[in-house]
Amino acid sequence: QQWVLVEMVQAFYEAPAYHLILEGILILWIIRLLFSKTYKLQERSDLTLKEKEELIEEWQPEPLVPPVPKDHPALNYNIVSGPPTHIITVNGKECINFASFNFLGLLNNEKVKSAAQASLKKYGVGTCGPRGFYGTFDVHLELEERLAKFMRTEEAIIYSYGFATIASAIPAYSKRGDIVFVDEAACFAIQKGLQASRSNIKLFKHNDMADLERLLKEQETEDQKNPRKARVTRRFIVVEGLYMNTGDICPLPELIKLKYKYKVRIFLEESLSFGVLGEHGRGITEHFGINIDDIDLISANMENSLASIGGFCCGRSFIIDHQRLSGQGYCFSASLPPLLAAAAIEALNIMEDNPDIFQTLRAKCERIHKALQGISGLKVVGESFSPALHLQLEESSGSREHDVKLLKRVVDYCMNSGIALTQARYLEKEEKCLPPPSIRVVITVEQTEQELDKAASLLKEAAQSVLN
Amino acid sequence: MANPSAVCNGHLHHHHQKQNNLLKSGISKKNGITKGMKKNGVSNGTLYKKTFIEHFEQAPMYVAVFTFVGFAVGTIFGYLRDFMRAWGLEKRNIAAEREQQKDFVPLYQDFENFYTRNLYLRIRDNWNRPICSVPGPQFDLMERVTDDYNWTFRFTGRTIKNVINMGSYNYLGFAETDINALKTVTIELEKYGTGVCSTRQEMGTLDKHVELEKLVAKFLGVEDAMVFGMGFATNSMNIPALVGKGCLILSDELNHTSLVLGARLSGATIRIFKHNNMQSLEKLLRDAIIYGQPRTHRAWRKIIILVEGIYSMEGSIVRLPEIVSLKKKYKAYLYLDEAHSIGAVGATGRGVVEYFGMSPDDVDVLMGTFTKSFGAAGGYIAGRKDLVDFLRTHSHSAVYATSMCPAIAEQIIRAMKCLMGLDGTAQGLQRVRQLEKNTRYFRRKLHEMGFIIYGNDDSPVVPLLLYMPGKIGAFARRMLEKNIGVVVVGFPATPITESRARFCVSAAHTREMLDTVLNALDELGDFLHLKYSRYSKSSHPELYEESRLELED
């Protein structure tokens, strides 16, 4: 259909008068609307200038920070002089260290230190740039390869801070509108990652697979109502291998079954279980004998067993490669200092060469777990092979502050007698499910059997004297 | 003849080339912004004690047209290649989902990755270049080749030696391997090891941290300071501790991702003001106090302004005196992120506060990182004692994140002592002076050559505008052939039409190195037609007659 000019002019002449007039009025109206002033909603205010100035004068903000009471426990922190190794000097007193997460005793290892020294001589201290802008060193690439090989996955990616690892990994995949099923006892870094992702969070009771299945079934019925939306909504389950807040292990085989039944991806946080569980220290997948490709993403920090700083994620290239452009803590932050990366590589070497330390560590955990049973007033919370367990009050007094004070007295008693312990610290107002106050007991490979027995008996004494 | 500036209601009127100084009412002022240059005079006791010159020249129209054409061509070819890949005419090189999980909801939307797959991938050999030496003024790059057009890389095993480093944030040259300089770091590394394995509030506060915090407080001239293990995390974990629901955050348009993440995690309301634009900020402040929270009109609990000292993509310096006067007038709080400016500006390297001759008490929260000027890692927050005490108890990092490695703390201590002159030499001050000289020389030469450079004349971050997507790859690759390592940035870190190359001048660069770079830039600028500036003859404002004025609301 082609409009020829002549036909158009003819049509114009043949049109009825009312039609032309109507069209003319409409055109004029459009022109008027185009040129009229736009009104912004806010300027409709009826306040005069004087009133505005008065409002500005009168407004008083809160102080920038509320005052903190002088006796707040965090202000009277322990100062450690010297390295936080097996024998630690806390507030001037020498104690045996039961508080630092130095599970494999690599903090003071000579080989690790000399690897770090060699790297210091070659690279200096800092990397002066993010990974994208000349901050990628050959040590980083080597560490990523070694970690991927150790965990038997395709690829690994390193972050320069342990907290930022899982907190950047989750928002890289899960966006607004996606659904994440997370355990109630998940650590704070996971909670921050979930908050940054803006997805729908569904909490299930700690280690309760029936509760998780119920939530998954509910989601399934929701999906059937709206299949188009369901086709683009991603689902994830986020769990930890060994939970930091409770010392429990997560039931991974059941989770895998649920994964394939309901088509949900699993993100596993292995900060406490990497270098602890499994025959070679590969974590909970080795412990249960699960194919590592069944887990979509494993994230761990290198600050516990590897006694370095930083964190890593490992998995298939399909998944990990995405973080190189979307992981915020990776792209927008300076990379890990090379001396820490070199220390981590050396620590990995030691882990690979001495696979019997994991069994030794587990045996020590079992020993102290048994020895701590039956303390009156305190109960042990955590698996028998977990190197970081909690001692909670058997009966809470009702007020958290009072409980914290009681536990502090137990800790002080132990510190004065040469065992360094600490309470587990939380941000009370920020945690979603605040765990009850507890004393953290950390077992390392360097502690001898006498020291373990001494710690157990000292805790018994302290509990007796303080709580009875 | 320039108009003398008038000061009315504590506000500053900028004087500019044409005499178009309108005053609407006593309160609001009209400001002429020249697209050529913004200049601030030193008369009438104004807030600025020295000239504040920033450049944001706009390129000629044909450049914008060609930029869009470039992207359009790239997009068309992108669709073509996607089509060919979907129909099997071209090999698929991307990693794919597992067979067992093919019926899961797809992890990535195909469209999200369009830009990555088709535009970024073509030139991705210019990023993530691995190096194998200290990131000083010269470094060694590992040679990397690709056999399949940037899908995968392999290392040939050779290293490209002594490439001039214009990309690392090594402003004061503390990234060094000199044995004497690193003596104390070596000793502390031997003593403490590499890890800490605990958080600040549990068993992770070492005596080294206490020493470092005291030194940082002394360096900045404030009551107390607290250090954290990662610069990015300093922002993202402390802003939520300071503000919460019911507070208002006024954040600059071009703030870093860590500030944006921290602001989002806090749950407060965020409003954005135009980059370094004081009228926009003042309007937001007034509206916030007058109208209160949206819908309920309750008063805001507190208002906090988030700005950076030097913006790393623009090279501009924050207008601190004006912001401080606004903050005092409207009773807001100021959070200053000095990631790039601490150590790099100021007569003795104390940052933008010293650069403008102001007192550190004017800024409520002084934040900075140690990665750039101190050659280490980590961040700090400094200010009054009650602020730092609050952060010790309520910061997310103090409770849940590991503390800084002691050897790295020692590197910061020795660098800071050098800067403060406490090590007995004048080396620190020499470095600051050298950086200043290098910055001025480099910027002046680039202006004379006719490139469009953004930012303040005193900032060591120098963005050189490339605009067209094709030139990004060409520029970086050819500079590498000439043995110079540069950083190029495109969308999405910058607006889509303003791709740029960013140079970071260092105190360790010698005059010869800078001249080598400048000669190479001269050649390459002619070859790639990068000299877009219309003011290439000299940088004196009096000689211009063309300056388009835009009046702002």
Side-chain angles (χ1 to χ4, degrees), chain A residues 62 113 196 234 265 303 431, chain B residues 97 107 264 333 400 402:
Chain A
E62 274 179 14
K113 279 202 261 196
R234 296 174 274 246
R265 295 176 199 269
E303 293 159 0
E431 286 265 3
Chain B
E97 177 68 277
L107 197 52
R264 273 184 33 211
Y333 300 113
Y400 294 106
T402 324

Side-chain angles (χ1 to χ4, degrees), chain B residues 396-412:
Chain B
H396 303 182
S397 166
V399 186
Y400 294 106
T402 324
S403 35
M404 191 190 269
C405 166
I408 299 194
E410 179 57 36
Q411 157 77 357
I412 304 167

Side-chain angles (χ1 to χ4, degrees), chain A residues 138-149:
Chain A
D138 43 357
V139 252
H140 296 136
L141 298 174
E142 195 189 328
L143 179 57
E144 287 181 355
E145 255 180 65
R146 288 294 304 279
L147 282 166
K149 206 160 64 157

Side-chain angles (χ1 to χ4, degrees), chain A residues 116-182:
Chain A
Q117 294 280 14
S119 166
L120 178 65
K121 281 196 188 45
K122 183 170 178 200
Y123 299 106
V125 181
T127 55
C128 297
R131 286 292 290 258
F133 302 152
Y134 303 111
T136 307
F137 284 49
D138 43 357
V139 252
H140 296 136
L141 298 174
E142 195 189 328
L143 179 57
E144 287 181 355
E145 255 180 65
R146 288 294 304 279
L147 282 166
K149 206 160 64 157
F150 180 75
M151 294 294 284
R152 292 190 284 208
T153 59
E154 278 178 18
E155 200 175 327
I157 181 175
I158 306 182
Y159 284 82
S160 55
Y161 206 43
F163 189 99
T165 311
I166 190 71
S168 305
I170 295 180
Y173 302 102
S174 179
K175 314 275 184 198
R176 204 193 280 269
D178 296 333
I179 303 174
V180 183
F181 301 95
V182 67

